[in-house]
Amino acid sequence: MSESLLITGAAQLLTLRGEVPRRGSSLSKLGLIKEGALLVREGKILAVGPRTQVEKHAAARRAEKLDVGGRVVLPGFVDSHTHLIHAASRAEEYELKIQGASYEEIARKGGGILNSAKKLRAATADALKRRARAALQEFASYGTTTVEAKSGYGLDVASELKILALHRELNAEQPLEIVSTFLGAHTVPAEFRGAPGGAQRYIKLLAEQLLPEVINGRLAEFCDVFCDRGAFTRKESEQILIEGKLHGLAPRVHAEQLSHTGATQLAVELGAASCDHLERVNAADIRALAKSRTVATLLPGCDFHLGLKQYAPARKLIEAGAIVALATDYNPGTSPTMSMPMILSLACTQLRMAPAEAVAAATINAACALRREKRIGSLEAGKQADLAVFEVEDYREIPYYFGMNRCWMTMKRGEIIYMQD
Ligand SMILES: [Zn+2]
């Protein structure tokens, strides 16, 4: 068996080398190489550059060869916001939404997250794992190589731990990398609602019973909160995130999606890894993000699926200098998609991001959101050989085609994990 792999035939090789994180005008810099080549060994990139240069490398002569036939090669997508583990779709609510019910009305009637929590609690770990495994294969088929996954449909000690344990098992059993986030504070569970002080009693349970288990079992890296109307207030979110931080979990926040709560300022104050959604940020929030290292992760799939007209102000965020990333927010209630290319299409048409900006936001900046930018998110010597090959001649065709899959091959740590039939 040959120990190295030489990949040639890339009409365009998007390396994404350069400034990290990407802010402002640097977001559109792709480090594009025409007729590029990559040399891979033991799951890592040994050399990258124009074919003539890479072929001179000593290891290139002995390497196994893979010609991608004039297609476009880029880093595998880093999907930095998903709710991977859930038991079922919520297609029945989709129909209600089309008829005019709002997301919050449905949630108040026991739908929404509580509906998913009911289904998850009743599901076996095996059934949940089968569903998540199938989803991960589909993520890979769209060029994604790393997936952040949040708990949050359990909302009790046993069910939250069941989800987090599945993150760990799936990470070990299949090729995609799973980054685990504890989102016990997704919403206040049904059994804590009704009586006054319910949110506080649930927060106490999170802090005293759940977080110690999460830490002892090393079940998560991040702690997230859904800080919004109908979920947790800014003050409650702060309590939870500080508790998580004390236990060694870096914060991330669902912020300013349905209402403006001040969650963005909180995220910046706490040095959160990312602050996600941001449909309703104001000028002060944008300035705060621009001065911080907190990544502004935009999730246009949500607004698209809910049929909302107000998308996050991507142009303002980019121009102010915030670190903008894109993710699917794969979840059964508001964004049932695993397709990062579809998210890029929405970023271009709805957020007015240039195709190059959308690519950088879904790779190198998304890697920053998961604090993995030294290992993934760009194709550079020494980094992990995580890449996607698209059946296009020009990278702009990746968002240009929508609702169809142009991914031809996906590679994780140097191994082919998806190949188009
Ligand atoms: Zn989410």
Side-chain angles (χ1 to χ4, degrees), residues 23 259 282:
R23 297 177 190 265
S259 61
N282 62 29

Side-chain angles (χ1 to χ4, degrees), residues 81-83 150 183 186 224 254 257 276-277 299 302 329-331 334:
H81 185 139
T82 89
H83 303 254
K150 303 177 195 296
L183 177 61
H186 201 182
D224 197 342
H254 282 67
Q257 181 192 7
D276 305 27
H277 279 292
L299 310 166
C302 260
D329 193 12
Y330 169 63
N331 80 80
T334 63

Side-chain angles (χ1 to χ4, degrees), residues 5-38:
L5 175 69
L6 176 67
I7 303 171
T8 58
Q12 296 179 335
L13 173 63
L14 315 183
T15 65
L16 277 294
R17 65 176 177 231
E19 204 178 301
V20 181
R22 296 283 211 276
R23 297 177 190 265
S25 59
S26 79
L27 189 61
S28 54
K29 298 209 167 70
L30 295 176
L32 189 154
I33 299 170
K34 284 185 184 162
E35 295 306 320
L38 272 161

Side-chain angles (χ1 to χ4, degrees), residues 115-137:
N115 180 0
S116 286
K118 210 158 111 191
K119 290 174 179 166
L120 188 135
R121 288 172 180 183
T124 65
D126 268 359
L128 293 170
K129 192 194 258 187
R130 264 198 309 280
R131 186 177 170 86
R133 248 181 189 284
L136 288 165
Q137 277 175 4

